[in-house]
Amino acid sequence: MASSDDRSALARSLTSRYSEWIAEALDELPECFLITDPAIPGHPIVFASRGFLAMSGYAMDEVLGRNGRIFQGPATDRRSVMEIREAVREERTVQISLLNYRRDGTPHWILFHMCPVFEAAGSGRVAHFLAVQVPVPPRSRARSRSRSRSRWCGGATGMMLRACRNELLMDEGLGCSRAEESFVEMPSGGVEAEEPPVATDCEKEKAVNAANSIVSTLNRYSKITGRVVCGKRCCPVGVPLLSSSLIISLGRIKQNFVLTDPHLPDMPIVYASDAFLTLTGYSRDEVLGRNCRFLNGPGTSLEVLKEIKDSICAGQACSVRLLNYRKDASSFWNLLHISPIRDASGKIAFYVGVQLEEGLKCSYNGLSPEMWQLGAVGAVKVAVRGSSLSAGPSRPSS
Amino acid sequence: MLTIKRVPTVVSNYQEDTVDDAAAAAAAEPVGLGRCCLSLSKLPLYAFKGDSEISPNSTSEGFFFLNSLLLTQWDERMSRGLFRYDVTACEAKVVPGKCGFVAQLNEGRHRKKRPTEFRVDQVLQPFDANKFNFTKVGQEEALFRFEPATNATPVDGTRSPSVVVINVSPIEYGHVLLIPRVLDCLPQRIDRESFLLALHLAVEAGNPYFRVGYNSLGAFATINHLHFQAYYLSVPFPVEKAPTRRIETLEGPDGGVKVSQLLEYPVRGLVFECGNTMKDLSNAVANSCIYLQENNIPFNVLICRSGGRIFLFPQCYAEKQALGKVSQELLDTQVNPAAWEIGGHMVLKRRKDYEEASEDSAWRLLAEVSLSAERFRQVKGCIFDALGLAVSEEESEANESLDSTRMCDSSVK
């Protein structure tokens, strides 16, 4: 059960974007659906519809703040769950038959349809995920013995918690979200897995229509607060988006850095970490699409700027010290390290710029500030290489 | 005596060809780690909490410290030109298919030198100080010491430090070698303490894309000085996606460790997970490895999911190769199926193999690595005996039918 602080954070997730009236509006919709917030650690549920609560037998406060995996159980197919997680990671729609469990432990099949709800402005990040469930009634279907079983580890102590948490980590890139949920203990006898029922066209259409109507409700109410959402990712003019999986991976890197694209005119910033924005005082919208020179000012050495330019032309890394300026015009000495970043094709895809404010006295668990900051270079290299490995289209959902 | 000829991978710039060239090796030996405690003590020390609880280092920010230390150092060594090639400039791709094998074209990894003979029928061989070992690596190739906090006294000659060094022929970014107790000159064989150290490395990194591997002699380890390997690759390995069937849970002293068998994967293997404590998990795997090495069965280990999931693969490819039972087509690819390859990450030397890489070709290669169904069942039974477990009759029959899916039943043993 969420603490009162957590509960208000969950409520704010909705009201700050869709206004105070959203809960009432969503309550009027008859469909079974959940809304989750990927920005909150654990990717919790922030809303459950009346229809969902009735179908699953849970009360609202039993699901708020929990992760959607609580509805999965011993016979839920692991691969389906992995597909859903990949869709979350890649910020795309997925529609899949899934075995869920009600509060009383009884399993039932649903057609699970999940889609991202994007911020219309800025970098087009995902504001929420919407998950619609269309119950699929039992139909005669073949039972297959040779189907592989899905397995999960149960328990919540020591090693177990780490393993479970890391399963979450695996699919959400580098970094950590604390999954305090415990998993269902596996009976050693094994449950005979059934073939998932094939959803009828009617059921599929129902899912799509439900999703559309909910998203359009969210869109309407988001106009009240001005933090508009829409069902499609909106691209800031002139800056092609990085792949979703890359954005998510980069989001886990905590240091100050920006990623610039040398193939675009004037080598604009295509990604900026939160730490960078804090350091410089700018918002993401203000930096994306612009060349880094806005950080320079009257005191910035032209020689150093030339050094940077020459290194980039030569495709080499460089470390320089230059005077930079924040949005509020205050200045700081920036120990800047720039490095080419190659993708899986082996060619330079980006440059990373890692900024270290000179004079910081803090230590990061024994690491000097330099040691800490420069770790971002390697982390970015790993992220870019990995996310560009599978450049093909994602697997279609079943 | 069974041997195969292969060109050993160069992991250190101080590595020489063979013992034949001892004079040259001695002459070429500049400042090494050797027995000079001073150089070792200059290395940064990453001290982790040595008990089996979840390390307090692994807080939200803690996950990033080891990674930052490792990556910063590695990147710095790259800028110093210590690596034989730029691994980030090597093309790589996920091969289309259900499994998602990862193929990399790496023409620079393999030296154009004459192959050396490696004995493949003896998993345990005594340490030979004349051959290359990790006391001979250059100071600049060492990144940091990795030890439990309780042991972290200054290096004074009474405790042998464990170090992390770069692999100058990296497979991927951040490829390093962990050398437990480097000055003790342990041969390549698993012991409980060292395995626990390797597991700690995976856990401390806290990154599921940083995997730790071990190859026994006879399973493509080239250096007979105890070492583990690790690197970053931020996509799932095919083996991590394969389904498993749980066999048993260890009770008693090695409590709570769940052992499963891999299904629908070309190489037969065991999966160890959970455990009441990290030490329990570590010991279960280490004990299994000890059984294998004492019974002369080559094997590979892959630690995944930041220490939450450990794969153990007994294998027989080298033996088959020595007996001339591997097709020339596979031999021509020159792929040495070690832990990474078995996990699904294939490094290919020829562009032709890279362009034509397919799920089928990867599967076919790995199927040759696996023990046969019958042999695996025997080995599994013996491992379970060694761990004090019983495999039920019902379970063995179930295995019989499951094994019929897509396994090449080669019978070397």
Side-chain angles (χ1 to χ4, degrees), chain A residues 81-99:
Chain A
V81 174
M82 282 183 74
E83 268 197 61
I84 295 171
R85 287 193 179 159
E86 272 184 42
V88 167
R89 199 163 64 97
E90 294 169 16
E91 295 178 339
R92 58 175 168 78
T93 299
V94 65
Q95 193 185 79
I96 191 170
S97 292
L98 192 66
L99 188 70

Side-chain angles (χ1 to χ4, degrees), chain B residues 229-371:
Chain B
Q229 302 188 37
Y231 62 80
Y232 296 86
L233 183 64
S234 56
V235 288
F237 269 24
V239 75
E240 292 169 321
K241 302 197 280 194
T244 59
R245 177 195 173 78
R246 189 155 84 199
I247 309 174
E248 262 300 343
T249 304
L250 287 159
E251 305 298 339
D254 291 324
V257 177
K258 299 195 194 317
V259 188
S260 313
Q261 180 166 340
L262 262 182
L263 301 175
E264 291 177 32
Y265 198 70
V267 185
R268 291 173 180 89
L270 294 176
V271 189
F272 295 78
E273 301 173 272
C274 313
N276 295 333
T277 64
M278 202 164 129
K279 211 170 189 174
D280 289 330
L281 177 60
S282 178
N283 285 342
V285 186
N287 291 340
S288 308
C289 294
I290 290 168
Y291 167 81
L292 290 174
Q293 63 200 17
E294 287 176 355
N295 286 273
N296 217 19
I297 300 169
F299 62 92
N300 309 89
V301 181
L302 202 52
I303 302 178
C304 299
R305 211 190 274 171
S306 357
R309 210 157 178 243
I310 306 177
F311 296 88
L312 174 61
F313 305 101
Q315 70 144 289
C316 62
Y317 189 85
E319 183 184 331
K320 278 190 195 171
Q321 196 177 335
L323 293 172
K325 295 195 177 187
V326 179
S327 75
Q328 193 57 40
E329 185 202 338
L330 285 180
L331 288 177
D332 285 344
T333 66
Q334 291 185 73
V335 172
N336 293 318
W340 313 117
E341 288 77 7
I342 295 178
H345 186 194
M346 313 283 203
V347 176
L348 300 166
K349 304 158 181 61
R350 300 186 304 186
R351 179 163 278 282
K352 162 175 142 33
D353 298 320
Y354 179 76
E355 302 288 347
E356 294 170 10
S358 69
E359 181 154 296
D360 273 340
S361 62
W363 191 285
R364 258 183 291 123
L365 180 96
L366 291 183
E368 289 299 310
V369 181
S370 178
L371 294 191

Side-chain angles (χ1 to χ4, degrees), chain A residues 105-121:
Chain A
T106 56
H108 62 123
W109 285 99
I110 54 161
L111 179 65
F112 179 87
H113 178 104
M114 183 192 76
C115 59
V117 177
F118 297 98
E119 278 181 9

Side-chain angles (χ1 to χ4, degrees), chain B residues 22-187:
Chain B
E29 191 179 336
V31 181
L33 291 178
R35 305 223 165 238
C36 177
C37 301
L38 200 53
S39 341
L40 279 167
S41 65
K42 283 191 190 140
L43 292 175
L45 166 64
Y46 186 96
F48 57 90
K49 278 285 190 296
D51 55 36
S52 50
E53 301 305 315
I54 295 182
S55 168
N57 280 337
S58 310
T59 57
S60 320
E61 277 74 48
F63 278 157
F64 302 97
F65 297 136
L66 180 62
N67 293 314
S68 267
L69 176 62
L70 196 158
L71 289 169
T72 304
Q73 301 262 45
W74 212 88
D75 203 62
E76 195 263 340
R77 301 306 192 271
M78 246 183 94
S79 65
R80 276 206 254 165
L82 294 184
F83 294 96
R84 292 177 55 245
Y85 51 84
D86 180 357
V87 67
T88 62
C90 297
E91 280 178 63
K93 64 183 180 186
V94 172
V95 172
K98 196 173 60 112
C99 298
F101 289 104
V102 180
Q104 181 191 103
L105 175 60
N106 192 329
E107 288 151 322
R109 185 156 206 254
H110 309 277
R111 297 179 299 164
K112 293 159 183 61
K113 299 223 174 174
R114 57 183 171 74
T116 317
E117 257 189 80
F118 282 89
R119 191 163 178 183
V120 297
D121 58 348
Q122 224 186 335
V123 176
L124 295 178
Q125 296 175 31
F127 183 85
D128 181 351
N130 288 326
K131 293 212 169 119
F132 173 78
N133 62 73
F134 294 105
T135 64
K136 301 183 181 179
V137 303
Q139 179 72 23
E140 70 281 8
E141 293 175 338
L143 298 187
F144 55 94
R145 281 164 54 203
F146 181 76
E147 290 153 25
T150 47
N151 291 355
T153 51
V155 178
D156 58 1
T158 57
R159 275 217 94 85
S160 179
S162 301
V163 291
V164 173
V165 309
I166 57 173
N167 181 337
V168 306
S169 305
I171 292 181
E172 265 301 332
Y173 200 83
H175 196 165
V176 294
L177 306 167
L178 169 69
I179 324 292
R181 293 175 281 148
V182 59
L183 300 179
D184 288 354
C185 292
L186 305 167

Side-chain angles (χ1 to χ4, degrees), chain A residues 78-79 153 159-160 162 166 170 174 176 252 255 342 344-346 365 371-372 374-375 381-382 385-386 389, chain B residues 54 63-65 68 72 75 88 90-92 94 172-173 203 207 209 234-235 264 274-275 305-307:
Chain A
R78 181 199 181 105
R79 272 203 251 236
C153 273
M159 204 53 233
M160 275 328 305
R162 173 179 298 281
N166 285 323
M170 163 90 87
L174 312 170
C176 53
R252 302 294 179 184
Q255 292 90 332
R342 295 170 188 277
S345 71
N365 201 37
M371 188 83 67
W372 163 247
L374 289 177
K381 286 185 179 175
V382 172
R385 191 159 160 88
L389 266 176
Chain B
I54 295 182
F63 278 157
F64 302 97
F65 297 136
S68 267
T72 304
D75 203 62
T88 62
C90 297
E91 280 178 63
V94 172
E172 265 301 332
Y173 200 83
V203 169
N207 182 337
Y209 297 130
S234 56
V235 288
E264 291 177 32
C274 313
R305 211 190 274 171
S306 357

